[in-house]
Amino acid sequence: MNEPRGPVDSSRIPRFAGPATFARLPRLDEVARADVAVVGVPFDAGVSYRPGARFGPTAVREASRLLRPYNPGLDVSPFATQQVADAGDIAVNPFNIDEAIETIEDAASSLQADGTRLVTIGGDHTIALPLLRSVAKKHGPVAVLHFDAHLDTWDTYFGAEYTHGTPFRRAVEEGILDTEALSHVGTRGPLYGKQDLTDDEKLGFGIVTSADVYRRGADEVADQLRQRIGDRPLYISIDIDCLDPAHAPGTGTPEAGGLTSRELLEILRGLAGSRLVGADVVEVAPAYDHAEITSVAASHVAYDLISLLALKEDS
């Protein structure tokens, strides 16, 4: 196997110069193949409140310029043990959600055809459904860890079945999730009614609220999640609004009382050794951001997801 091609050397070319690929990694067309591809989906036609997540992939790539090759939190050099490349963006129709979902599924399936695993940067949470469809084609029904302020298991908005608040209900209905291993993490805030929780439980989800994380701590929560997942193929979907607005103001539907960026990263690190098959980080809306706080957090989250994939590659 050829030595993986890593990021641009920041001691030779300043971080603020050159193309803004994720973590300054090579493009997918510059390597023979990739073990992990970072791909953007600049789509936000499924939002119910503030738009702007279509600009998320660009903002996260820009913020990722400061990432470095060694991750001490997980004791791994994720770009040295696996070939990671930036696959650019999946261009989708911003005016037709059904067509966009089909395009995302087809493009994700094509990227994964040779065994490449995807870390996807959104975009709104609608994109999780086609990404899950694509992963399930290869692995069958998958376990899901869904980090979010919201449940995203509602039925419809204004009669629409495909929105950023409905992807996980649709995924359960389609039989592409392992309903014995589904968890929300970081949920909080008002709901439409108590029936929302009842309906969510019927779909198979367990809930770890942001208050649970605060009271029990990241290590205990990660241990609980690992036990629920077992050795199932795992997909991690992270809505950046799982973080408190103090840590992620640049998002479409912020809710007070969320996780800190430190808590989120520590929970992810506690999942080392899990059978991770894909992940996404969504709902970064840079127009509402301040000093790139949200984009920086999202870039580090994506970096830790890539690091988890490197650990599994080593095991």
Side-chain angles (χ1 to χ4, degrees):
M1 175 180 170
N2 294 331
E3 192 78 13
R5 179 175 168 182
V8 172
D9 185 349
S10 61
S11 68
R12 291 177 171 271
I13 300 176
R15 298 183 186 281
F16 43 81
T21 57
F22 184 84
R24 310 183 81 201
L25 288 160
R27 301 190 314 267
L28 186 59
D29 62 1
E30 295 178 314
V31 297
R33 68 170 301 277
D35 300 297
V36 177
V38 179
V39 61
V41 183
F43 173 84
D44 64 1
V47 298
S48 57
Y49 190 44
R50 302 194 303 199
R54 66 184 60 185
F55 301 109
T58 297
V60 174
R61 286 188 176 102
E62 188 65 34
S64 75
R65 287 178 178 271
L66 196 56
L67 294 172
R68 300 177 182 89
Y70 174 66
N71 185 338
L74 285 166
D75 187 24
V76 67
S77 297
F79 309 135
T81 59
Q82 57 186 355
Q83 181 62 67
V84 187
D86 192 319
D89 290 340
I90 299 172
V92 297
N93 188 335
F95 305 109
N96 187 317
I97 289 181
D98 290 342
E99 181 184 321
I101 288 172
E102 182 178 344
T103 300
I104 295 165
E105 181 182 349
D106 290 346
S109 296
S110 177
L111 286 167
Q112 296 175 98
D114 62 355
T116 299
R117 291 166 295 177
L118 300 185
V119 174
T120 306
I121 303 169
D124 76 54
H125 224 151
T126 310
I127 73 171
L129 177 61
L131 294 170
L132 286 165
R133 286 175 177 172
S134 176
V135 167
K137 287 177 185 176
K138 188 175 185 66
H139 298 280
V142 294
V144 167
L145 286 185
H146 170 221
F147 291 82
D148 203 320
H150 312 97
L151 300 173
D152 287 4
T153 53
W154 287 285
D155 191 8
T156 63
Y157 283 101
F158 296 90
E161 295 183 339
Y162 300 106
T163 76
H164 74 159
T166 66
F168 298 101
R169 178 183 284 257
R170 298 287 91 82
V172 170
E173 291 171 348
E174 293 178 16
I176 59 178
L177 305 189
D178 185 334
T179 54
E180 297 297 314
L182 306 178
S183 297
H184 303 297
V185 183
T187 55
R188 62 193 186 276
L191 298 170
Y192 295 105
K194 194 170 183 177
Q195 188 64 36
D196 291 347
L197 296 173
T198 302
D199 292 344
D200 188 78
E201 184 178 7
K202 289 178 180 177
L203 294 172
F205 279 90
I207 293 178
V208 180
T209 68
S210 59
D212 291 332
V213 175
Y214 168 71
R215 293 191 175 96
R216 294 163 50 197
D219 291 345
E220 183 179 327
V221 168
D223 183 62
Q224 174 192 334
L225 295 173
R226 281 199 312 271
Q227 291 182 39
R228 187 171 176 88
I229 296 161
D231 193 41
R232 298 173 174 89
L234 170 65
Y235 188 91
I236 298 178
S237 186
I238 301 176
D239 186 327
I240 205 64
D241 75 20
C242 70
L243 300 181
D244 189 87
H247 296 264
T251 193
T253 48
E255 305 279 359
L259 305 180
T260 66
S261 54
R262 178 176 58 247
E263 287 171 331
L264 173 57
L265 291 171
E266 287 304 314
I267 293 171
L268 290 175
R269 291 166 186 169
L271 301 172
S274 299
R275 192 179 158 199
L276 185 60
V277 296
D280 64 58
V281 184
V282 301
E283 298 284 356
V284 174
Y288 314 108
D289 208 1
H290 304 282
E292 296 184 311
I293 294 172
T294 312
S295 300
V296 168
S299 71
H300 280 261
V301 168
Y303 177 67
D304 267 33
L305 291 167
I306 294 168
S307 298
L308 288 174
L309 288 167
L311 288 173
K312 191 58 183 175
E313 188 76 11
D314 286 342
S315 62

